Amino acid sequence: MQPQMTRVSMDALKDLPTPVRRRVDAADVWVPEGYEVEPVVAGLSFPCALCFDEDGTLFFAEGGSTWPTRPYMTPRIWRMAPGRAPEVFAVEDLGGPRGMAVRGGYLYVSLKGGYNMRVTRHDLRTRERIVLVDGIPSGGWHEPGGPIFGPHDGMMYFGQGSVGLQGVVVPEGFTVDLAKHPHAHDVPGQDVTLTGNTVWARDPRLPFPYYAETGPFQPFGTPVTRGQVVKGELKCNSAVWRSRPDGSELELLAWGIRNPFGLAFGEDGHLYATDNDFEEKGERSIGEDPDRIWRIKNARVPPGEVKEPEWFGYPDLCGDGLPVWHDLHRPIRGKAAEPFLENPPPWAGPAVFLFPPHTALGKLTFSRSDAFGFRGHAFVCQFGTYAPLNTNREAALGRGFQVVRCDIAAGAGEPFLRNRAPGPASGTPGSGGIERPVDCAFSPDGKSLYVLDFGNNTANRSYVVAYAHTGVIWRVTRR
Amino acid sequence: MDGIEAADPEGPGPAAIEGPYLLNLHGETWDAHLDRAARWLAHVITAQTAFRNALEIAVPKVEEPNIRQFLSEILDRARRHEEVAHRLPRTIGREAAEGTRGLAGVVMDVARRALDAVEGLAGGARGNWKDLHHLLMLNLDAMGAFAIAEQLGLALAHHELRDLAFDVEAEKSTDQLILKELMLEMAAVSILYGERV
């Protein structure tokens, strides 16, 4: 059955057939004085990415199998040319699109994949699709980042988050991708020597929940020993790379980034990556780890000349640089963490920006336009907490669910787009506001910020569910 | 747009908006989704009815008092789950298709024949132990049907459908563990000694 994209009135968005999102109404959304917000597209299923071509064409992608992985919905990439209705440009594979960029007549797409993350390229004219990069270890908890293109070198930059939720594969992972990829595991970007510490957990794969021991950088149920060396690989994860636009000359810039989902170059020419905090539950529980933005300094090194990848702390350091077993990160639920790395590389921090734990950073973009204002500032999607699932601290319950404007140089940030009532729209009966901002991009004229709203993704104490047909694209314009 | 030069204030603007776009949510399309979902929900009734029927046949034959109690409790839940199955179509404004109960017997027979084919008429086991294996298959089928109903609830952004289906799926998952335990516990004496359950 072909998808039906229909132009409707704004009033039609206030009476939708989807019970978990009956209304989409900009009146319930707050933006600063002098700006206005409006919905552009509604009814998307698990959208994860949007981007613009230079001619003003908007591309946006539905994610396929996302957070959690069920239900899968078709991972469509839509193209919306100026003045025209959206059309399906391409359909991707099961673990669908997570990031997109347009350059030189091609659309570049990062895909979560199965056991391997991929970067594909679609010819905008012929729609021919080729795989540029493959074999990046995926299949677990975290996501690809990018692709984006370096303004200084024309190279393609992209990332892939960790498989492990907590620096190691734990049973929680089997509620997401690990149920499909039971052999997935993290791979380091440099040789590491292990302490021999492991976690013990019940094994969800077996007829009975027998006890199983798992070490870092191993599939679930595989222990490690003290002094064991795990070889670093170019195709690791929790990492950021660059390559030529055709995928060749792959170069590892950084690893140890738990979830580098958002990548963007600032006007200062630096590469920035968002990253998500550890969770406070389970067998390696870590409390009060801040969300953060990293500056990846190796992106300024000429291509091919990176001597050592930078290491940003995963699996042993929090966003503030403190060890995961530090008293400040002692959990109030779950088993406290122990060190995994005997010989950690030098830490590449500090972060350029720290956020409260469990704001759940999505992607970010930078204003390059005086017409929109706040030139040089980062606009950061805060997807919003999964508390009380990933922490049982009451303070975390309402965090995120907004786009924050950050002056990184000044270390200052404040909400730019949020609901008038705190939290997601689904937390306020009758609200037609935003649910979970996941990506944002400026139109080529720099006058509008488009914000992609993933839709209803509700967590409770035990699990999280995602509802299809509830994703929205919002547009913020300066009056 | 990250990674390109500063925006040109005179450059092309975004797509012209004359009212927003709506994907797959307008009347006819959505009604078609609901109709297709309702057909599956009818199958949920069939699968659950087959399981409940099989339990009603199996329980009176059970001689071991503990197992009889376990199965009786599962039967009580199965009756309740069947009532929920009938509610599912109504949550999305549809009625269950006629004839779902009549199909339940067919489902039971198919499952039994499949089991016999797979096991070579139960591989030498005698007595009513085979009933446990049959119940295991029928519950798995019904549990899967509810699980798919849950997925339809998520796909249709319908929390009531999702929640009702999930609650049953969770209870049936526990029942499946009980049935599996009983079947495995009693397998050896059934196969080696021909004992009845």
Side-chain angles (χ1 to χ4, degrees), chain B residues 20 32 45 49 75 86 105 128 136 149 161 169 171 183 197:
Chain B
I45 298 169
T49 303
L75 176 56
H86 281 278
N128 62 341
L136 196 70
L161 173 59
E169 180 194 343
E171 286 193 337
M183 190 268 293
V197 173

Side-chain angles (χ1 to χ4, degrees), chain A residues 91-349:
Chain A
V91 175
E92 271 291 1
D93 295 337
L94 180 67
R98 296 296 186 269
M100 299 189 296
V102 179
R103 183 181 175 90
Y106 296 105
L107 177 72
Y108 295 80
V109 183
S110 66
L111 300 165
K112 177 73 178 276
Y115 272 106
N116 294 307
M117 171 266 202
R118 288 185 292 279
V119 180
T120 59
R121 190 186 74 186
H122 299 252
D123 187 309
L124 294 181
R125 191 174 52 82
T126 66
R127 304 197 187 199
E128 180 196 26
R129 172 192 184 267
I130 62 170
V131 177
L132 300 176
V133 179
D134 203 348
I136 305 288
S138 178
W141 202 269
H142 291 126
E143 302 297 322
I148 60 172
F149 286 88
H152 58 301
D153 59 9
M155 300 288 277
M156 182 169 71
Y157 290 75
F158 58 93
Q160 170 60 44
S162 67
V163 165
L165 177 67
Q166 298 291 90
V168 61
V169 178
V170 288
E172 281 91 342
F174 288 85
T175 63
V176 288
D177 275 357
L178 287 165
K180 291 186 293 188
H181 313 117
H183 309 297
H185 60 89
D186 285 326
V187 175
Q190 294 168 283
D191 293 1
V192 291
T193 304
L194 303 180
T195 61
N197 287 324
T198 57
V199 297
W200 286 89
R202 300 291 177 181
D203 190 337
R205 303 168 304 171
L206 299 183
F208 278 110
Y210 297 119
Y211 228 16
E213 184 184 18
T214 308
F217 307 109
Q218 312 296 322
F220 185 81
T222 307
V224 295
T225 55
R226 183 170 185 182
Q228 182 174 335
V229 175
V230 180
K231 299 294 288 179
E233 295 182 31
L234 171 62
K235 289 185 175 179
C236 55
N237 52 19
S238 72
V240 174
W241 300 262
R242 73 179 158 204
S243 72
R244 297 185 61 78
D246 64 2
S248 65
E249 299 180 29
L250 185 66
E251 186 174 33
L252 177 63
L253 302 181
W255 74 285
I257 304 175
R258 188 170 172 270
N259 192 23
F261 185 48
L263 295 177
F265 279 94
E267 277 211 311
D268 58 8
H270 285 294
L271 175 61
Y272 294 93
T274 61
D275 191 16
N276 296 137
D277 58 273
F278 284 109
E279 298 187 7
E280 195 172 11
K281 68 172 191 279
E283 294 76 12
R284 195 179 191 245
S285 182
I286 297 154
E288 296 296 88
D289 180 21
D291 282 328
R292 56 270 186 171
I293 297 175
W294 305 111
R295 180 184 288 138
I296 298 175
K297 295 171 282 296
N298 269 343
R300 303 293 296 168
V301 176
E305 295 185 21
V306 170
K307 299 283 188 293
E308 290 284 330
E310 296 172 84
W311 178 69
F312 285 91
Y314 179 90
D316 271 3
L317 300 182
C318 288
D320 54 11
L322 295 172
V324 294
W325 56 92
H326 192 279
D327 280 349
L328 288 175
H329 296 298
R330 187 159 294 280
I332 59 173
R333 180 179 66 176
K335 185 178 183 299
E338 296 173 321
F340 279 154
L341 304 184
E342 192 73 66
N343 62 335
W347 185 49

